[in-house]
Amino acid sequence: MKTPKEKTLKIVKIFLISFSSLILILLAFPFVFTNTITQKVKVTANTHLNGELNFKDSNLSFFKHFPSLTLTLNELKLNGSEPFKKQSLVNAKEVSLGINVFSLIFGQETEIDEIYLDDAKINIQVNRFGEANYNVYKSNADTTQTSSDEGQLKLKRIIIKNSELVYNDKSAKMKIVLKGLNYRGTGDLQNANFDLKTRAQIDQLSLTYDKKEYLKDKKVKADLITKINTNSLSFLFEKNDLIINKLPIEFSGFFDFISNGYKMDFKVKTTNSNLEDLFSALPPEFGKWVKDTKTKGKTDAAFNLTGDYIVSENKQPEIDFAINVRDGYIKHQNAPFPIENLYLNLETKLPNLDVSQLEVKLDSLYFDVNKNNLSAILKSSGFGDVMKIDSRIKSNLDLGFVSSALQIPNFELGGKLIADIVANGNYNARKRLFPKAKGTFNWENGTIKTTYYPNAIQNIQLDVKLNNPSGYFKDASLDITKGHFTFENEPFQLAAHFQNFDDVAYNIAANGTLNVGKIYQVFKVDGIDVNGKITANISLKGKQSDATGGNYAKLENKGTLSVQKIATRTTFLPLPFVIENGTFIFNQDNLNFNDFKGKYGSSDVSMNGYFQNAINFFLSDREVLKGNFKLNSTLLNTNEFFFTKEIQTQTESKKEKNIESTINQVMEVPTNLDLGFDLDARKLVYEDINIENITGKVTIQNGKIALNNGKLNIIDASALMNGSYENTGTQKANFDFKMKAAEFDIKRAYNEIKLFRELASSAENAEGIIGMDYAIKGVLNNKMEPIMPSLEGGGEITVKKVKMNNFRLMNVVSEKTEYSSLKDPDLSEIIIKSTIKNNIINIERFKAKVSLFRLRFEGQTSFDGNLNLKMRIGLPPLGIIGIPIKVTGTQDEPKIQLGKKTEDLEETIYDENAPENNTITPLQETIAPVADSTAGKEPLKTTVKDTLIHPLQKDSIQTDTATVKTLLNTAINDTIPLENIKSDSIYQLQPKKDSIR
């Protein structure tokens, strides 16, 4: 019998042997299975990944992430999906894959259930068209044919250490950069429904939206639980605790993809947080200010984004924001006084992301600075033409104290501000309602200085009174009894009084110089480059009704206004209009201008004349500006008046940037102008048309531009033109013009005028002189191109002397009849009359003489390429005997037959409400297949742009020679076979029965 000591020793030996065996197995297992597992991982990657995967080498171990069997891929690089196949998606020092040992030994598939990334750079890119590089994982539908020995991704854990992630979405104008990312995510990721538990720590988080930084290098800690349903693409944010720098945030809600958009409910809040922690999360421009500022107090803040985003139904979510600050204290280290007793209670709502429905509830705003204080209450509903307001503002502030206490970066204020304003009621421009209001605003010895310009705006004196006892426009008054400031040693003074906003009685006096360019520099207005001045010495006094009623004797408007290099912008034009110089002289209701010179893009204008009703026009958006003047120009480039959008795409192979400009809306004509001017322009450019020495009377009235009695030179030919243009919204416009030209070069017209190519595409190879008297009207799309079915018009083209080189129709007839003299005919002294309607060009009968033949033409062609033409070839010597030919089919594949009877082409009636006539220009033209009638051929490809090109521009005509000969022989009925007829013996043709005419 063994002693207890021997038994213990035996147990120890068994344990040591078992443990040693286990260690040996763990050490030996990777050496035995490394190649097998690596191969299976490669198969898995090739099966489930679209992107190119490469790594330097691999090793297998139980100890890398014990107890998991881990395959580590060193120096791994995974490229993205199309169109980013050449760019890296993941580049990592190490990527470890945790392998399910039981699936490896006993299963038919190798399961990878863990992924570890160390020192990785994750580069997520989305281009302007919404195409992303992360679509590298193939869906189940793509992998249903996998064999049983392939691996499967059944992820349950993702761990990322010390990595960097860049998310750059150009379609959403958003960029997020994460540095020092440590992430642990667990969940049964292969299931359709699973909980993703996340812990993350980020050393530096930066967020940029539309090129503006909102977060920079913020520390983030996150503890999140997200329920994910991959079948319905639904995300439920159940438990989500964040800390941004020191600010604790609770985040909850859901996000669902629905058939036509998104359904969302995001709730973000922080409760009873320190004001100091809130400031630590401010945008980067306040970073240094936060560091140098001491803050105290408590705050609550909440942000909600709730609702549906469905573009087709014009549905957008609602934004709610609220903040509450209690016992606030702010003191910058350079400030002599702090802001104390800061209380703020603010709530805002923006339903449907519509600013006209904006709601603001400022229950209280109060603070003290060195015994100076401000208190304010503001409640408003709506914004713009309809608002409801309840506000009370009272201040007794030394702005220098406030500015010093806050030390707002790049901005300083000074002066004493005393205000006492109360307003309550409705503002409704249509109903002429104005809130009951009474208040005073007084700013004495004020200054404004920024770091963007070295000198301050000084000596600001502003004294304003507002009064409206009744709540109606008619009883409202506004007095600016004192308005004065000095800038760059140039003083400017303004005094104004406005009474009865229903029929404004005004009294305005202004004197001094505004250095507009430098004032813009003070406030750093981006996108505007102005270096000009406005010098005013004006006195305006009168009543709105006297101006509109023609009682000019009651007006007392006088003075001058001089401008130099001032840029003005308008929503109607894509570029600023720059006034080089000009002097405006007020004379009662007229605003005369002399030697006015301006530039718009590459265009220049010089004007002299007057505006009428100018003061009313500026005082009310319902008034019409009238005027008459002369306009001279050396160049008017009308292409610059149309809005364009630049699309940048990158060709990966060549790393080149291709920029395509597409017109995305028509030129809008303001409806509140009634102007007439005599035009004299040396050169005018419209699309590809260059017009020289154009003169005429131009009117702009009721949103319509018209040119009357226009004289111009186009392709070195003199012409007369009348026309008009009127937009209907931003996507369509109506045009109507008539042009008469005695003679012009047909070859130059085809090469240089796009519309001529579309309407007379058969003139592609013609040479010679023609005349034109034609009227046409129709609708332009948002590319400022005509919508073909909308065109209506008619007129005549006079052929003076034209050589029809390679005229396809005549050359085919020549070939089939073997009458060589019909090829490349010379035409002269022919009048061709035609009309256009419903996508059809109707050509009236006309005659022509070619060599010894007498020809007659009539019929139809369509802008879709269909033909219905009738010809008669009158045979020598007198053309009494003729051969009738009908041409049907399409210009690409015409059918030539003997006979007279044809069917009219099907008309395409323009429907202004059709979707294709009301679409906004897409970023890329849609490529649509067109059926090819030839069996076995690939479908032709065309673009939207191609459908606007006249189909007669197509090159090839194919005709069955045998068919044509058979038809002609049958019709001639037992006469000489067609193949025996020669052009020099055509007079021998004697049909037995009725002559063919």
Side-chain angles (χ1 to χ4, degrees), residues 281-437:
L282 288 176
E285 58 261 35
F286 296 99
K288 187 177 184 307
W289 178 82
V290 170
K291 183 180 178 181
D292 297 336
T293 301
K294 182 179 180 180
T295 57
K296 292 186 294 186
K298 290 293 183 177
T299 183
D300 301 327
F303 174 85
N304 299 330
L305 178 63
T306 307
D308 297 344
Y309 179 80
I310 304 175
V311 174
S312 61
E313 299 178 13
N314 195 30
K315 284 186 178 180
Q316 299 187 86
E318 174 178 292
I319 289 180
D320 299 335
F321 174 74
I323 185 170
N324 179 274
V325 177
R326 305 175 297 280
D327 298 319
Y329 174 95
I330 303 173
K331 185 181 184 303
H332 191 274
Q333 64 181 15
N334 297 329
F337 308 106
I339 287 182
E340 299 178 288
N341 300 319
L342 172 61
Y343 289 87
L344 171 65
N345 192 5
L346 171 66
E347 296 179 17
T348 64
K349 287 186 178 181
L350 187 60
N352 202 40
L353 295 182
D354 182 0
V355 71
S356 66
Q357 301 180 49
L358 176 66
E359 295 182 21
V360 178
K361 185 179 180 182
L362 179 63
D363 268 351
S364 61
L365 169 62
Y366 182 87
F367 62 83
D368 291 322
V369 184
N370 191 32
K371 298 181 181 181
N372 285 244
N373 57 70
L374 177 140
S375 62
I377 295 174
L378 171 63
K379 298 176 183 179
S380 69
S381 177
F383 190 81
D385 289 340
V386 179
M387 296 179 66
K388 185 176 181 179
I389 299 172
D390 181 5
S391 66
R392 292 186 292 277
I393 301 173
K394 194 167 186 177
S395 75
N396 182 6
L397 290 177
D398 187 316
L399 294 180
F401 289 167
V402 177
S403 183
S404 179
L406 290 176
Q407 291 286 308
I408 299 174
N410 309 322
F411 198 77
E412 294 180 17
L413 288 174
K416 189 74 172 179
L417 177 62
I418 300 174
D420 189 354
I421 302 172
V422 177
N424 186 287
N426 295 313
Y427 175 84
N428 189 312
R430 185 176 61 85
K431 295 182 178 180
R432 316 307 288 165
L433 299 177
F434 195 95
K436 292 182 180 181

Side-chain angles (χ1 to χ4, degrees), residues 209-221:
Y209 177 74
D210 200 14
K211 299 182 181 180
K212 179 175 177 60
E213 279 190 313
Y214 288 91
L215 296 174
K216 183 174 182 180
D217 299 339
K218 303 297 184 184
K219 291 182 179 291
V220 176
K221 290 183 180 180

Side-chain angles (χ1 to χ4, degrees), residues 476-492:
S477 65
L478 176 68
D479 282 294
I480 305 175
T481 55
K482 187 188 296 182
H484 178 272
F485 68 85
T486 302
F487 182 59
E488 291 286 7
N489 297 319
E490 293 178 320
F492 185 84

